[in-house]
Amino acid sequence: MTLATTNAPSPLGRLARAIPVLGQVIRDIERDTNSIYYLLVILLTALVLAIQTWGLPALVLTALALVPVMFVLLVLIARP
């Protein structure tokens, strides 16, 4: 018999899991890592529907929201 140990989530992780929709998504991804692909398809579909509904402002706001993400990725890639 093996003893399975799990790391206790940090306070930020507990806070994220306490948010109703986000917490359910986090727990689902922890159980099955392939479910992240379904989440990406849902987000892409929501983006397409937002662009069809509101046009260019939805696309511009999405790009603006992704600027910090890309900045962090570029810093991670450029690290020696």
Side-chain angles (χ1 to χ4, degrees):
M1 183 184 335
T2 60
L3 178 63
T5 60
T6 58
N7 294 336
S10 66
L12 184 62
R14 284 188 300 228
L15 180 67
R17 285 176 182 79
I19 299 172
V21 175
L22 184 63
Q24 184 176 0
V25 169
I26 290 172
R27 287 187 294 272
D28 191 36
I29 290 174
E30 286 175 346
R31 281 188 299 244
D32 183 21
T33 56
N34 290 330
S35 63
I36 196 162
Y37 299 118
Y38 295 117
L39 178 66
L40 291 175
V41 168
I42 290 169
L43 292 176
L44 183 64
T45 304
L47 177 63
V48 168
L49 291 175
I51 292 171
Q52 284 182 347
T53 303
W54 293 294
L56 190 60
L59 186 61
V60 169
L61 287 175
T62 304
L64 185 64
L66 288 176
V67 166
V69 174
M70 295 309 294
F71 183 71
V72 168
L73 287 175
L74 288 173
V75 168
L76 289 175
I77 289 172
R79 272 190 352 196

